[in-house]
Amino acid sequence: MSKPGLMPVEDALDQLLAMANEQRLPDSEPVPLNEARGRVLASDLVATLDLPPWPNSAMDGYALNLADLHRQPLSVSQRVYAGLAPDALLPGTCARIFTGAPLPNGANCVEMQENTEVLEDGRVRFLQPLKVGQNIRAQGQENRVGDTLLRAGKRLGPFELAVAAGQGMTHLPVVRRPRVALLSTGDELVEPGQPLRPGSIYNSNRTLLDHWLRELGCEVIDAGILPDRPAQTRLKLEQLQVAADLILTTGGVSAGDADCLGQVLRDNGKPLLWKLAIKPGKPLTVGHFGTVPVIGLPGNPTSALVTFGLLARPYLLRIQGVEEVMPLSFTVNAGFDWAKPGSRREYLRVRLEGGQAALYPNQSSGVLLGATWADGLVEIPENSTLRMGDPLRFIPFSELF
Amino acid sequence: MSKPGLMPVEDALDQLLAMANEQRLPDSEPVPLNEARGRVLASDLVATLDLPPWPNSAMDGYALNLADLHRQPLSVSQRVYAGLAPDALLPGTCARIFTGAPLPNGANCVEMQENTEVLEDGRVRFLQPLKVGQNIRAQGQENRVGDTLLRAGKRLGPFELAVAAGQGMTHLPVVRRPRVALLSTGDELVEPGQPLRPGSIYNSNRTLLDHWLRELGCEVIDAGILPDRPAQTRLKLEQLQVAADLILTTGGVSAGDADCLGQVLRDNGKPLLWKLAIKPGKPLTVGHFGTVPVIGLPGNPTSALVTFGLLARPYLLRIQGVEEVMPLSFTVNAGFDWAKPGSRREYLRVRLEGGQAALYPNQSSGVLLGATWADGLVEIPENSTLRMGDPLRFIPFSELF
């Protein structure tokens, strides 16, 4: 049970995915395989080729027809290399054959060379019992023409692209990149490379999210840092809504006087300020500016990390048509005691050491360094205490990119 | 125990990493943060800035000096927004302050607005007990100038790059990209987009490895398909050894007559043909052509995948200076029985379903499709049988990129 008034993360995810299902990107474009990594397949990939395209040998050895076995030793009538079209097998003979080479018509068995004896006159004696189909990779064993190899909505990595290459394809239809306008709010922010003013800090969230968005196939519209003034905020959002599929902001969403993004959204759209039952990451703004969805992440780097990874990431995959948007998670054992139950579910930065989850010492939401030290997040359920060795749900960071 | 004559994968890895330790790339280059993703940090990242750079408020509320508390209600002498340099706190007053705003000199406590009462005349009454330092993020709480934030050898992802941005940095020194010459051997191979000749198949390994190498920060020299002829093989390797840090081949390494890469290496270098105690992926050629290392992967796609992921990947990370080259792995439960013990350790493509590892039906080494269906690999130890529910080591594919 979460604290009354706080939204469980599952409910937030359900609402965001429902929103994403309404906003799926309709456009697709063909891209060359060498540029398709990280993109999402726009339509089913259907096989145009049997794989293997013809029966071939799984071994270096000899191809024969078993009906000829009683006539052994058999003379070798041809040598069949991979990549060459063989002649039909001359009756009463065998063919020298190599791994991957196509089976000659008329052959129905391959024996590996280790189980044969080559006589002085070159004829071959077969030393072991043989059976039809032995050491032959049948045509279409991997797939048949017309088989669906990959479903629309599949994220394309090296394996998927290699499957397309194996069909002889050079391009794949992919969903167009989501255009995400990335906005940082806060007068305190200065971009790296600029001098730091008194009272200010460098903007790290833009870098965090820029790279992460690109990992997820997005095109990033760098919309800069928004001053904490309503008129300028409104003007900026009006410009961005023309180009963007999503406006993603960090900061400026808590309830303080200085949070003018929320004010502008309230004036212009239908914002929802969610108080999530998670820590870090409590405040999340979800809404629209005109017709463009807006997700407002908290400004603390680790809060931005957790809310982006758990909520915005699935949203951005789903608008690209990805069905399986949740990261794999695993059960690991706590390498620490947790004595103080919290009313919010807590996501802690941990490293796996000797099979146990070791805590980064400083779990403050302002401290991003812990994420570089850690292997992933463990989840401490609401209202729970833990003892060293207790099982915990672990999400590897590698699953979040 | 592995079958006699076969090399345990741990031994192969030890030898490859020893080789990599001798071949670490010495050169580094500065790259802008927005191009540094996936690269490896060439020298320690040392903080040039305290974070936070000054004490600041963790809450929207009021800053005060506790010595003035007996004079409450306190009038509000200034409003401090994030990004502004505040005046020193006027004695006997408090300051309105917002999250992230710098603490005025003289203040030593922040109370959240929820625990205050603002009187009609604007003065503020504090309703709860207060203590020094409350709701203040101390200067340098995250890091101090001179702290080592990231060690040389760290792979740079969104979190690491954001940490650098938080220090105001625009560039990082990274190890130069390893130049990997990627060669496919086999007369049977045709590149996608070309017509398929009788007896031939499309080359999928080039696409698989091209994308995977680029994920690992490598520059790929596409060296094409090598015909199965020794003279041409020799000429090609002579050309490549000038430009490449590693020559990576697929196919052409088994013992058959048609495997001329091995012949050329035996003539020109010091090749080792390793028969690994793993399945798929038994044959692996490791050696040098002149001074350039050569790794020859097997030609079957899944064998190439397993040997690249378990052996060539750690090698390529280590020559870039990465210490932690092994993927995370987890214990999962078998969703299948395994009745036939094998003499080699077996890596099976599985999907996690309801907490159990479900087998892809066709585990043949020629079948790449299983890898697109699967979440990762489980390891079946040598000479073992398994029952449904038995624990198994699982390596998520996400950990291998």
Side-chain angles (χ1 to χ4, degrees), chain A residues 72-305:
Chain A
Q72 71 161 315
L74 300 180
S75 61
V76 178
S77 56
Q78 63 178 316
R79 296 170 70 85
V80 191
Y81 294 97
L84 296 183
D87 298 327
L89 186 67
L90 209 62
T93 72
C94 65
R96 181 77 171 113
I97 196 165
F98 299 97
T99 305
L103 194 73
N105 272 334
N108 62 8
C109 172
V110 170
E111 178 57 304
M112 57 200 287
Q113 58 201 17
E114 289 82 349
N115 294 339
T116 61
E117 181 190 356
V118 181
L119 305 183
E120 285 197 0
D121 63 3
R123 287 183 303 163
V124 178
R125 186 182 297 281
F126 295 87
L127 308 176
Q128 302 288 333
L130 300 177
K131 58 185 184 188
V132 169
Q134 175 179 312
N135 294 323
I136 294 172
R137 298 188 190 114
Q139 177 174 343
Q141 165 186 301
E142 176 159 10
N143 72 260
R144 290 279 182 194
V145 170
D147 286 353
T148 297
L149 302 181
L150 301 172
R151 294 265 173 212
K154 184 83 178 169
R155 285 180 85 191
L156 299 172
F159 306 159
E160 290 74 22
L161 295 168
V163 162
Q167 290 290 313
M169 295 171 180
T170 59
H171 290 68
L172 281 176
V174 300
V175 178
R176 81 156 162 80
R177 295 186 186 280
R179 290 184 285 259
V180 180
L182 183 55
L183 261 176
S184 311
T185 72
D187 280 336
E188 76 276 27
L189 296 177
V190 171
E191 285 298 333
Q194 304 298 314
L196 199 64
R197 300 184 309 265
S200 62
I201 55 170
Y202 284 113
N203 185 8
S204 56
N205 281 334
R206 196 190 60 76
T207 298
L208 174 75
L209 294 172
D210 175 48
H211 287 280
W212 206 339
L213 286 164
R214 288 193 278 150
E215 294 267 7
L216 298 173
C218 300
E219 177 187 329
V220 178
I221 303 167
D222 185 354
I225 294 171
L226 201 61
D228 284 333
R229 277 172 260 304
Q232 282 172 265
T233 300
R234 193 173 295 112
L235 187 63
K236 189 73 146 183
L237 295 184
E238 277 166 6
Q239 290 164 350
L240 291 175
Q241 72 169 331
V242 179
D245 298 307
L246 172 70
I247 297 172
L248 183 69
T249 70
T250 55
V253 295
S254 73
D257 292 11
D259 293 319
C260 75
L261 176 73
Q263 291 176 29
V264 170
L265 288 181
R266 276 188 292 279
D267 294 346
N268 290 266
K270 315 169 263 303
L272 303 165
L273 181 59
W274 291 349
K275 296 194 175 197
L276 301 175
I278 61 173
K279 183 181 175 189
K282 186 168 162 187
L284 191 81
T285 301
V286 174
H288 290 80
F289 183 83
T291 59
V292 179
V294 179
I295 297 180
L297 305 176
N300 272 328
T302 307
S303 306
L305 185 164

Side-chain angles (χ1 to χ4, degrees), chain B residues 262-332:
Chain B
Q263 292 176 29
V264 170
L265 288 181
R266 275 186 292 280
D267 294 346
N268 289 266
K270 315 169 264 301
L272 303 165
L273 180 59
W274 291 348
K275 297 195 175 198
L276 301 174
I278 61 174
K279 183 180 175 188
K282 187 169 161 188
L284 190 80
T285 300
V286 174
H288 291 80
F289 183 83
T291 59
V292 179
V294 179
I295 297 179
L297 306 176
N300 271 328
T302 307
S303 306
L305 184 164
V306 168
T307 49
F308 185 87
L310 299 182
L311 295 167
R313 176 187 179 277
Y315 172 88
L316 285 164
L317 292 176
R318 181 58 60 81
I319 65 172
Q320 295 179 73
V322 178
E323 278 304 317
E324 295 178 18
V325 297
M326 299 309 295
L328 291 182
S329 63
F330 301 91
T331 302
V332 300

Side-chain angles (χ1 to χ4, degrees), chain A residues 25-49:
Chain A
L25 299 175
D27 321 330
S28 79
E29 56 194 9
V31 296
L33 292 194
N34 65 0
E35 297 169 17
R37 190 167 39 121
R39 304 294 293 273
V40 174
L41 191 63
S43 50
D44 291 353
L45 175 65
V46 176
T48 52
L49 191 66

Side-chain angles (χ1 to χ4, degrees), chain A residues 311-322:
Chain A
L311 295 168
R313 175 186 178 276
Y315 172 88
L316 284 164
L317 292 176
R318 181 58 60 79
I319 64 172
Q320 294 180 74
V322 179

